[in-house]
Amino acid sequence: MTDYQLIVVGGGPAGLAAAIAAWEEGLTKILVVERDRDLGGILNQCIHNGFGLHHFGEELTGPEYAGRFVQKLAETGVSVLTDAMVLEVTPEKQVRLVSREMGYQELTAQAVVLAMGCRERTRGAIGTPGTRPAGVFTAGAAQRYVNIEGQMPGKRVVILGSGDIGLIMARRMTLEGAKVLACVELMPYSGGLTRNIVQCLQDYDIPLYLSHTITEIRGKNRLSGVTVAQVGPDRAPIPGTEQDFACDTLLLSVGLVPENELTRAAGIPIDPHTNGAVVYENRETECPGIFACGNVLQVHDLVDYVTAESELAGRAAAAYLAGGCPADDEPYIAVDAGAAIGYTVPQRIRPGKIDKSAELFFRVRAPMKKSRILVTSGGVQLAAYPRERLAPGEMERIQLPKSLLQKAMGSITVSAEEVAE
Amino acid sequence: MKELICICCPRGCHLQVDETQDYAVTGNACPRGAEYGRAECTAPTRVVTSTVAVRGAAYPRCPVKTAAPIPKGKIFEVMATLDGLTLRAPVTLGQVVVKNAAGTGVDVVATRTLE
């Protein structure tokens, strides 16, 4: 006998949706473990609107979106443990955790859903030269200070990186009275959603410097300024293009990394392109009965897709139990990322496990104009999907019908190519 | 002809708005785009989200939003009405925090329940 049928690690949007879906599929002994004080994860600090258009058909703020799932969970019999940190998950599905209230505990489950989310890349990850003054924050940390704790990180702000959190914080700091001097992006295009460029930067006349980076951080105790320089096609700074900005705050929005310490420690294989687990069509990892979903699996642009993916994982966990916890020996088709494609999720599809079709998520490596997405196997084209444009900042998805997968030989390759207008 | 990027959803449709043809919109994938394109060229609006101080809750700030889009030019005036305001817990989701903010006819409401 195990303590729970299912333990969900993480109580953000992914964990909430997975737990609710598993409950709705008939599991009755489910535990959600959350390290923060409240459920909802990072949505609680994302006070801006724009969430839920796909899932709810209306535009909600982050706390509202989270609130709906927290409410729904409360109407189930799912157990919740907050202020609790999972230390280890074993392949045998033993979950070791520690909390102030209960101390150290070892719990067992028949299935586990990993929903730990992701973490921001920091200054160390991008190696910006200069001194180490106060005033350099990741954009998400600043978001927490402003929106949850009511503290302003500074008054004159430069933002490095044009990911969505950086763009959102450019507007937020402006509304709270700070002067945002510039948003600086290394690449020749923004990594954020186009709508955020419009409503966060253009609305407030904040300049976006594409193909630029910060080459020096200055300041003794507090940040006093940064040097911004243009970069060439090789992304190296071009001498002579430097300009100085006097600022007391630098926000970094330079990417997110799935938080997979538990996954790695469990010996679950990781895809070096997503930094998340290698998964099958139902989000099962290579360790039978352990599933992964949401930003711990692949960094999503939209929480709506996190919800959809996590419902899939939750339902799959319930099906795994209903099927008597089978060992994994079904044949699968490997999905390879071909020309112009950065990664795909899932990486493996078992045709025997899908009803009508499998949904495939991926990102292109660089922006593309009118294009088509090709699915091939053994050099034979199985399907083509037209797109008006493609961008790395916007995750793409295609449906692979079961009939198509049955034609595949061992593996399929997804690629993209531009077509004449 | 004015070119815009629709902000109604993350798809970000590239719209063309023809001022000479009663602001006819092309390039939109849904009716919201046509509406947005027209409004953006005639009377642009935005939903404003922010926080207000709250006492007696686990956190010192309560997130809020305008219950509907307000004229873009009124954003900072609406922000100013939130300054110096202090709520008392419990606060419930949807509770009106400021009525008719800055004369826009739109209320500012809480977006999180804080006990």
Side-chain angles (χ1 to χ4, degrees), chain A residues 37-38 44 47-49 53 61 63-64 147-150 172 175-176 194-195 198-199 203-204 302 389, chain B residues 5 7-11 14 46-47 49-51 58-61 63 65 72 75-76 79 93 111-112:
Chain A
R37 185 185 172 281
D38 290 304
N44 288 328
I47 63 159
H48 53 281
N49 64 336
L53 269 167
T61 65
E64 289 172 316
N147 292 346
I148 303 272
E149 297 175 18
R172 187 75 191 112
L175 287 177
E176 289 296 343
T194 320
R195 71 189 303 233
V198 175
Q199 63 182 356
D203 271 8
Y204 298 94
L302 301 183
R389 63 183 66 78
Chain B
I5 291 164
I7 62 170
C8 294
C9 88
R11 186 182 163 123
H14 291 240
R46 297 285 185 270
V47 169
T49 63
S50 188
T51 64
Y59 309 101
R61 306 298 294 187
K65 70 173 183 184
K72 223 170 121 178
I75 292 175
F76 282 95
M79 284 298 293
L93 185 98
T111 56
R112 187 177 183 184

Side-chain angles (χ1 to χ4, degrees), chain A residues 55-343:
Chain A
H55 192 79
F56 292 112
E58 58 181 309
E59 209 169 7
L60 303 172
T61 65
E64 289 172 316
Y65 190 96
R68 292 203 179 182
F69 285 90
V70 172
Q71 178 66 35
K72 208 168 170 192
L73 191 83
E75 290 160 10
T76 69
V78 173
S79 307
V80 175
L81 192 58
T82 53
D83 272 324
M85 186 75 185
V86 173
L87 306 172
E88 192 181 5
V89 175
T90 71
E92 296 74 35
K93 293 173 273 291
Q94 197 173 54
V95 177
R96 301 181 175 135
L97 57 95
V98 67
S99 68
R100 183 169 293 216
E101 203 177 322
M102 319 269 282
Y104 177 77
Q105 283 179 283
E106 289 185 354
L107 301 173
T108 52
Q110 287 165 274
V112 171
V113 170
L114 303 172
M116 293 87 78
C118 61
R119 216 154 37 200
E120 289 177 284
R121 291 176 79 211
T122 60
R123 179 179 172 186
I126 54 168
T128 304
T131 59
R132 300 181 59 83
V136 181
F137 305 89
T138 60
Q143 188 179 46
R144 185 181 166 94
Y145 292 144
V146 176
N147 292 346
I148 303 272
E149 297 175 18
Q151 305 288 338
M152 272 296 274
K155 295 191 175 111
R156 283 177 67 84
V157 185
V158 171
I159 296 174
L160 176 60
S162 60
D164 288 312
I165 313 169
L167 300 175
I168 293 289
M169 282 310 290
R171 173 177 64 183
R172 187 75 191 112
M173 295 294 283
T174 305
L175 287 177
E176 289 296 343
K179 175 75 185 162
V180 179
L181 304 167
C183 180
V184 179
E185 170 61 52
L186 178 69
M187 302 303 286
Y189 51 87
S190 163
L193 297 171
T194 320
R195 71 189 303 233
N196 285 335
I197 304 282
V198 175
Q199 63 182 356
C200 296
L201 297 185
Q202 291 172 8
D203 271 8
Y204 298 94
D205 298 322
I206 299 166
L208 172 61
Y209 293 87
L210 296 173
S211 296
H212 279 70
T213 192
I214 291 179
T215 54
E216 195 192 357
I217 291 173
R218 287 185 302 279
K220 190 162 183 285
N221 297 314
R222 180 76 193 193
L223 180 68
S224 62
V226 297
T227 302
V228 171
Q230 201 181 334
V231 298
D234 58 352
R235 296 186 217 166
I238 301 171
T241 62
E242 295 88 356
Q243 50 182 318
D244 289 346
F245 288 90
C247 58
D248 60 16
T249 304
L250 173 61
L251 301 187
L252 304 175
S253 176
V254 293
L256 300 167
V257 187
E259 195 164 351
N260 271 303
E261 282 75 9
L262 295 174
T263 321
R264 284 198 182 84
I268 293 169
I270 300 284
D271 179 339
H273 304 292
T274 55
N275 288 310
V278 173
V279 290
Y280 292 96
E281 71 298 324
N282 61 355
R283 302 307 186 263
E284 189 170 18
T285 67
E286 280 192 47
C287 185
I290 299 186
F291 300 79
C293 56
N295 282 354
V296 78
L297 180 63
Q298 57 173 334
V299 176
H300 290 254
D301 315 322
L302 301 183
V303 71
D304 302 69
Y305 295 161
V306 168
T307 298
E309 176 168 273
S310 305
E311 288 172 343
L312 177 65
R315 284 196 298 269
Y320 169 79
L321 262 71
C325 306
D328 181 54
D329 48 11
E330 244 187 88
Y332 67 85
I333 292 167
V335 185
D336 296 324
I341 305 292
Y343 73 80

Side-chain angles (χ1 to χ4, degrees), chain B:
Chain B
M1 193 70 92
K2 207 169 177 183
E3 300 222 351
L4 292 176
I5 291 164
C6 183
I7 62 170
C8 294
C9 88
R11 186 182 163 123
C13 288
H14 291 240
L15 310 178
Q16 289 94 38
V17 187
D18 194 341
E19 298 100 321
T20 62
Q21 294 296 316
D22 193 27
Y23 300 96
V25 177
T26 48
N28 55 309
C30 80
R32 281 198 302 263
E35 208 176 296
Y36 170 79
R38 189 192 167 83
E40 192 66 9
C41 291
T42 52
T45 59
R46 297 285 185 270
V47 169
V48 176
T49 63
S50 188
T51 64
V52 295
V54 57
R55 278 218 191 102
Y59 309 101
R61 306 298 294 187
C62 177
V64 299
K65 70 173 183 184
T66 56
I70 59 150
K72 223 170 121 178
K74 288 273 190 181
I75 292 175
F76 282 95
E77 253 182 86
V78 167
M79 284 298 293
T81 65
L82 305 179
D83 261 353
L85 206 66
T86 304
L87 303 175
R88 275 208 171 276
V91 178
T92 40
L93 185 98
Q95 178 181 324
V96 175
V97 172
V98 180
K99 266 203 108 48
N100 184 16
T104 55
V106 174
D107 297 340
V108 173
V109 298
T111 56
R112 187 177 183 184
T113 294
L114 290 172
E115 280 156 12

